[in-house]
Amino acid sequence: MDEPEGFLRYASPNELRTISREDVGFYHAVIVGAIYDFDSEGDPLSSSFYFHPLRVCIEEQPFLCVAVSDMHTDKAFYQRVPRINLEEHVLIDTDNGSATVKGHGTDDLRAMQRALEANLDRPFPRGVPPWRIVVTPLPSSPSRCFIAFCYSHTVGDGPTGLSFHRTFLRAFHTTFRDKPLSNAVETPQTPFPIPFDTPERLPISWSFLLSPLLSLVFPRFLTQWLGLRSGASTVDAGTWTASPIHFNPHKSRTRIALFEIEAAVLEKALRAARKHDAKLTAVLGQLVARALSRVIPDKGVTNFVSQTPVNMRGAVGLPEDQTGQFVSASYVRHERALCGRSSEDSSNGRGSGVLSEQEWTAAAAATREFATCAATLQDQPIGLLRYLPSVRKWTLGKMGEPRDSSFEVSNVGVFDEAPALAGDDDRRGALGIRRMVFAQPGQVAGPPIAFSVVSLKGGSLVCTATWRAGALGVSDDEEESLVDRLCALVKADFEALE
């Protein structure tokens, strides 16, 4: 059979996993957004204002030029489109919305939250490269806009969004005053990267391959003695996993909460983490487990399991700005008995914030685990996907099963390409970024809630909490208040780190 015009390659097993869940409506747009400051020249509410920087991004980043075909099969493939109509990829949202969104922060943060909520579950049209920018003017300044880069996980992971904004910002610095170009872009014949999860890159040992099978055959005490596990995670009967996996296409939607950690607080927390040989992602996981231990009333819950995506670019010798899917995952178990309790009433949204030595030790151990995972190519769990007869059937077959973790903490890192914003004189006639945000849809078949973070070098950290309506194991009326309490506790404890 002849390959169709523009055929690049078939999707790998892990890419098929993301393609299948998008095809059935489980997961749509990953969003990495930023608040941009513009000078007085040009109209940031005109789609043509963005044509030139987008053209630069398209020339440098191959994933912007491809569509995914045959998504409903196990033979989905990537296909380069011959040209791109930029009008299809720029959405100007001048309606700030009249709906009230309960959030934590300034008017700009609430406008960002509305934009995220409106776009996380918005599907991408078939046959068109699955990405767009959504431009939202902000109430704080007429020259300030929130630009949400929305893209499919089928073509990129979280760090891919940071790479886009680096190129986008650099293109603005060099072309900001150029006249708008045509909306039509001929796509370059740039090589499309090979997948990360190949047998050569991710070898699997026989012992690792057989562990899931043997753990189903042997008695539990024997599998524990032999060190066999049925999966990558470590959940058991005492793990909080909220509701079983389910999906109602008419009711299932992503819900989101957002909070910000100011620059000074972030710097103090980083100093505290370094003093205890821990990194921010591991500390944040400990803070979330600590907060969950205070808001989950079920005494039968003895532990929480966190899922953390790990950037694998370094392990395969790729630069950090390489776009595509280059992540694995690490799972960390948090014993509820070791999660420190505040002496204050947890219902008031305040916590002491002082981690115990046991909690700092746990954060340091998780830091080492993430580093080991990021440097290890053999026996990565995602490498097992290639042994499935059908990734699509496996994805759909999860309905009704318990989840494999309690929560996710995903940190795409620090955006360090923004110019200084110390004062108006420092940025006169320039373009700068004031805040970054990272968010993903509520996960149908993943953990019940995900905390996604990104920070700006020298600036603040923004954290989003996303979940699927009905995933938290409480009534619809209780979901928002539960997440509000979680976010308030994590924020308060973050601010008290020392």
Side-chain angles (χ1 to χ4, degrees), residues 222-251:
L222 187 56
T223 61
Q224 291 178 332
W225 182 65
L226 293 173
L228 301 175
R229 301 191 312 193
S230 60
S233 183
T234 57
V235 298
D236 58 25
T239 308
W240 180 76
T241 56
S243 68
I245 295 170
H246 65 280
F247 181 64
N248 182 333
H250 303 294
K251 295 183 179 180

Side-chain angles (χ1 to χ4, degrees), residues 8 21 178 207 209 266 269 291 299 316 327 337 394 419 422 468 477:
L8 294 168
R21 70 180 182 181
D178 286 1
S207 60
L209 175 61
L266 176 60
K299 301 302 182 183
V316 291
V327 294
W394 172 76
R468 283 273 166 180
D477 295 338

Side-chain angles (χ1 to χ4, degrees), residues 35 48 64 97 127 190 251 254 278 339 357 407 424 448 477-478:
I35 293 181
S48 63
L64 295 175
T190 310
K251 295 183 179 180
T254 293
C339 294
E357 284 305 312
F407 63 93
D424 289 342
D477 295 338
E478 296 176 293

Side-chain angles (χ1 to χ4, degrees), residues 3-229:
E3 294 173 345
E5 181 181 358
F7 176 90
L8 294 168
R9 62 170 173 80
Y10 288 104
S12 71
N14 187 46
E15 289 167 342
L16 281 174
R17 178 183 66 87
T18 62
I19 290 168
S20 295
R21 70 180 182 181
E22 183 171 320
D23 182 58
V24 298
F26 288 0
Y27 193 102
H28 291 294
V30 180
I31 299 178
V32 177
I35 293 181
Y36 280 75
D37 274 333
F38 299 104
D39 64 17
S40 59
E41 295 192 20
D43 180 9
L45 298 186
S46 168
S47 59
S48 63
F49 183 76
Y50 302 98
F51 287 175
H52 202 143
L54 286 177
R55 180 183 293 270
V56 174
C57 291
I58 288 168
E59 290 172 349
E60 296 187 11
Q61 300 183 338
F63 81 100
L64 295 175
C65 305
V66 304
V68 184
S69 299
D70 286 357
M71 294 181 70
H72 62 291
T73 75
D74 280 307
K75 296 292 288 184
F77 60 91
Y78 293 98
Q79 187 174 20
R80 177 182 285 110
V81 300
R83 64 190 56 82
I84 292 175
N85 179 359
L86 293 176
E87 292 282 4
E88 297 178 334
H89 296 271
V90 181
L91 175 62
I92 308 296
D93 181 13
T94 55
D95 181 9
N96 284 321
S98 57
T100 301
V101 176
K102 191 173 182 180
H104 308 273
T106 65
D107 288 342
D108 281 358
L109 287 180
R110 285 191 285 271
M112 288 167 59
Q113 183 172 332
R114 285 195 293 270
L116 295 171
E117 193 165 42
N119 287 282
L120 285 166
D121 291 338
R122 179 177 291 180
F124 296 98
R126 301 297 168 91
V128 175
W131 61 271
R132 67 176 72 92
I133 62 168
V134 180
V135 181
T136 303
L138 295 176
S140 58
S141 169
S143 61
R144 185 170 297 159
C145 291
F146 174 56
I147 299 180
F149 175 54
C150 312
Y151 59 103
S152 169
H153 211 326
T154 66
V155 295
D157 54 15
T160 293
L162 285 190
S163 179
F164 171 87
H165 278 284
R166 289 189 187 102
T167 305
F168 191 67
L169 179 61
R170 175 170 49 80
F172 258 119
H173 282 156
T174 57
T175 67
F176 185 52
R177 288 174 176 79
D178 286 1
K179 294 180 180 179
L181 301 179
S182 166
N183 65 315
V185 178
E186 300 292 326
T187 57
Q189 299 295 309
T190 310
F192 194 63
I194 65 172
F196 166 57
D197 55 319
T198 63
E200 295 76 20
R201 281 178 160 173
L202 297 182
I204 298 293
S205 66
W206 278 107
S207 60
F208 190 74
L209 175 61
L210 293 177
S211 287
L213 300 177
L214 296 178
S215 67
L216 298 176
V217 176
F218 291 161
R220 181 174 176 81
F221 78 91
L222 187 56
T223 61
Q224 291 178 332
W225 182 65
L226 293 173
L228 301 175
R229 301 191 312 193

Side-chain angles (χ1 to χ4, degrees), residues 272-286:
R274 285 192 293 268
K275 184 171 67 174
H276 292 88
D277 297 320
K279 291 200 172 179
L280 186 67
T281 304
V283 173
L284 185 56
Q286 197 65 36

